[in-house]
Amino acid sequence: MNNNAQACSGFFPATSRRDFLSQFGMGLGAVALSQLGEPEKVLADAGAMQSLHHPAKAKRVIFLFQAGGPSQMETFDYKPVLNERQGQELPDEVRKGQRLTGMSGNQSSLPLVGSPFKFAQHGESGAWLSEAFPETAKVVDELCFVKSLHTEAINHGPAVTHVQTGSQFPGRPSMGSWLSYGLGAENENLPAFVVMVTKDKGGQPLVSRLWGSGFLPSRHQGVRFRAGDEPVLYINNPKGLGSENKRSMLDALSQLHQLELKKSPDPLIETRISQYELAFRMQTAIPEATDFSGETAKTFEMYGEDSKNPGTFAANCLLARRLTERGVRFVQLYHQGWDHHGGIPGGIKGQAKQTDQPASALIQDLKQRGLLDETLVIWSGEFGRTNYCQGKLSANFGRDHHPRCFSGWLAGGGIKGGMSFGETDPFCYNIVENPVHVHDFQATILHLLGIDHERLTYKYQGRRFRLTDVHGHVVNEILA
């Protein structure tokens, strides 16, 4: 059917928005459309930043995220007053009328409860640690404990999303995606951003948007590594397809894409080409990176017996070290199971047994290999726990969510080791010194990587977005 016939019949074949703009106004629409995609087009493997905003103290990040909200009173924030006042009511002057969650807000009584774990001071810094973390106690002089973290989010979904993306609402790019976008990849054969989730763990669900790229180009999303024979899904060749055939197929596909790009510039096509090529290169790089056969018996002993079992937290910590050695920019480990609304004594013991030794070993391993100074290691959850008991007070008590104060630690990569920063009140309910908001935490992480958090932005829907939204201050006091 010719154009005249089409016009007379009132019928036109389906036309894409891109084709319409290409034909509209002698192609001026296509020019405008290409400008809309320009932020994607200018990106290269080196990242969108032409240069660092200031000298970086860290090159890479390993984030040991403890999902569920670890209790600060059973880990790193020693509060003997709670033991002294066990069973007494939470004082009104401490609570100050602040809201509680729906899980404990209707309780007729809010009895204070102290930690069942003994605390002691360790290292030259004299840091107070729970007896549940004897291995972490060995490296306290490498750590900076931040005891004044706080957030507005009171439920898991928004709180985890807030820490990972800077917003309580889904759809924003994750921290690793921002770093991939800004700094690019150091190793062209591996992703810039890798995610691992401890296998066989229950608790609050973790969803892929937590490591998604949001409105950034999709090549910046986290690549999840899994336990088993196929660490990354869908990169292996199908049966009957060899590497030479795969290379020929990709070359032909690239030629077709290049023809399409000449006709209609489309940054999404360029992204697809780059992702196909990365997947092909990863076919060789990933088996080498995930092969532990060259690790020594001493290394396995240091990380613990679980390190020989792929997918455990210990094995993921060891793999994180191997990936950072190979230039992966951001390695995100998720470990679920910290949501202790009940069973605090046994729950904390179980979680510490799985995480204490590997986290400590990671610090030691990076240091002995000369990698700690350029690798920032982070241990944190999404919020803390209440100083009062959820439900009736018993030996097997639990604690509710508490966003007003929680603890974490940082090490390496420009962090001042052997110190504690921030302080909570004797009841561990409110912060009394040096509060660190989630956005301050994120701004500091970016600063250590040579990034001004106010300048790493991406224009989307008419507004320039950044990881820290419109907030955040660098915590200079904890920088080496």
Side-chain angles (χ1 to χ4, degrees):
M1 184 181 290
N2 60 36
N3 288 342
N4 291 334
Q6 288 175 348
C8 290
S9 67
F11 169 77
F12 287 86
T15 302
S16 71
R17 174 172 171 266
R18 187 171 297 280
D19 290 339
F20 172 77
L21 289 171
S22 295
Q23 298 166 20
F24 172 72
M26 294 183 294
L28 291 177
V31 174
L33 184 64
S34 71
Q35 295 304 308
L36 289 176
E38 197 64 26
E40 283 194 42
K41 280 189 67 181
V42 300
L43 294 182
D45 286 340
M49 293 170 55
Q50 297 299 312
S51 61
L52 294 176
H53 298 145
H54 53 261
K57 295 187 177 182
K59 294 181 179 179
R60 293 169 287 276
V61 177
I62 300 175
F63 197 154
L64 310 176
F65 190 77
Q66 311 302 308
S71 170
Q72 68 276 19
M73 291 151 289
E74 272 69 48
T75 53
F76 312 126
D77 201 358
Y78 180 42
K79 296 299 174 185
V81 168
L82 296 179
N83 294 85
E84 296 167 8
R85 301 185 63 164
Q86 176 93 356
Q88 296 182 25
E89 195 69 15
L90 172 64
D92 290 338
E93 63 269 24
V94 174
R95 179 182 170 185
K96 298 179 180 179
Q98 296 167 349
R99 71 170 180 147
L100 308 177
T101 76
M103 291 172 285
S104 63
N106 58 355
Q107 289 182 200
S108 60
S109 176
L110 300 173
L112 298 173
V113 57
S115 176
F117 299 102
K118 294 179 181 178
F119 275 70
Q121 290 179 285
H122 298 274
E124 293 183 10
S125 59
W128 288 94
L129 257 72
S130 161
E131 62 181 338
F133 295 86
E135 297 299 322
T136 302
K138 297 177 182 178
V139 295
V140 290
D141 290 334
E142 302 292 343
L143 310 182
C144 172
F145 293 94
V146 180
K147 300 181 181 179
S148 54
L149 291 165
H150 65 102
T151 178
E152 294 82 18
I154 203 166
N155 290 313
H156 295 287
V160 177
T161 306
H162 201 195
V163 174
Q164 300 298 311
T165 73
S167 171
Q168 294 187 50
F169 301 100
R172 300 281 183 88
S174 59
M175 190 186 305
S177 295
W178 277 111
L179 292 180
S180 173
Y181 163 67
L183 300 177
E186 284 190 291
N187 186 332
E188 65 175 8
N189 299 325
L190 289 169
F193 177 20
V194 169
V195 175
M196 290 177 273
V197 179
T198 305
K199 69 177 183 179
D200 302 329
K201 293 291 292 182
Q204 294 295 323
L206 297 170
V207 291
S208 59
R209 64 174 168 78
L210 296 174
W211 51 90
S213 56
F215 43 71
L216 294 177
S218 59
R219 67 167 170 256
H220 300 297
Q221 68 186 0
V223 175
R224 183 173 173 184
F225 279 35
R226 292 167 165 82
D229 297 332
E230 194 175 5
V232 178
L233 299 180
Y234 312 123
I235 67 164
N236 291 334
N237 295 331
K239 290 182 179 180
L241 181 67
S243 293
E244 290 185 7
N245 291 335
K246 181 68 173 289
R247 180 68 268 168
S248 298
M249 182 194 77
L250 289 176
D251 290 341
L253 188 61
S254 179
Q255 290 174 7
L256 290 172
H257 280 157
Q258 293 299 333
L259 290 172
E260 184 64 24
L261 282 172
K262 289 179 182 178
K263 192 169 63 174
S264 175
D266 186 349
L268 293 177
I269 293 178
E270 296 182 35
T271 294
R272 288 194 196 104
I273 294 173
S274 68
Q275 291 302 82
Y276 290 148
E277 292 294 339
L278 175 59
F280 182 74
R281 296 193 300 270
M282 286 197 299
Q283 288 182 343
T284 301
I286 287 180
E288 187 276 331
T290 57
D291 181 5
F292 287 6
S293 62
E295 298 291 344
T296 65
K298 185 177 179 180
T299 297
F300 287 119
E301 181 182 352
M302 182 166 58
Y303 281 89
E305 191 64 26
D306 274 354
S307 61
K308 298 178 182 178
N309 184 1
T312 61
F313 184 76
N316 288 346
C317 282
L318 178 52
L319 181 54
R321 187 267 288 165
R322 292 178 60 85
L323 291 172
T324 54
E325 277 183 311
R326 288 157 177 78
V328 174
R329 183 78 65 185
F330 193 93
V331 183
Q332 177 82 64
L333 271 61
Y334 289 95
H335 186 80
Q336 296 162 283
W338 292 95
D339 191 23
H340 295 125
H341 292 278
I344 279 270
I348 293 290
K349 281 183 181 178
Q351 290 294 97
K353 184 177 180 182
Q354 294 173 5
T355 61
D356 176 42
Q357 183 174 351
S360 174
L362 179 61
I363 300 298
Q364 297 174 64
D365 200 6
L366 289 169
K367 185 175 183 180
Q368 71 185 12
R369 294 170 186 271
L371 294 170
L372 186 59
D373 287 344
E374 61 185 33
T375 306
L376 176 64
V377 184
I378 307 164
W379 190 106
S380 172
E382 67 267 36
F383 45 51
R385 314 303 294 198
T386 56
N387 58 8
Y388 59 83
C389 174
Q390 182 171 345
K392 293 183 178 180
L393 181 57
S394 69
N396 205 30
F397 71 98
R399 299 185 188 273
D400 199 1
H401 306 168
H402 190 69
R404 293 175 191 88
C405 60
F406 63 105
S407 298
W409 56 253
L410 304 95
I415 287 293
K416 191 181 296 181
M419 70 170 292
S420 292
F421 184 78
E423 185 179 344
T424 56
D425 64 39
F427 293 87
C428 205
Y429 199 88
N430 295 300
I431 295 168
V432 296
E433 184 179 295
N434 295 323
V436 178
H437 187 267
V438 165
H439 286 129
D440 302 329
F441 196 56
Q442 294 160 340
T444 305
I445 293 168
L446 294 185
H447 177 85
L448 288 166
L449 290 152
I451 299 171
D452 180 342
H453 71 104
E454 295 183 354
R455 294 169 62 189
L456 179 60
T457 63
Y458 188 90
K459 191 172 183 179
Y460 175 67
Q461 293 185 341
R463 175 191 160 187
R464 293 202 173 275
F465 287 84
R466 67 186 206 224
L467 173 64
T468 52
D469 196 38
V470 294
H471 310 281
H473 300 280
V474 175
V475 186
N476 290 299
E477 294 91 337
I478 70 174
L479 307 182

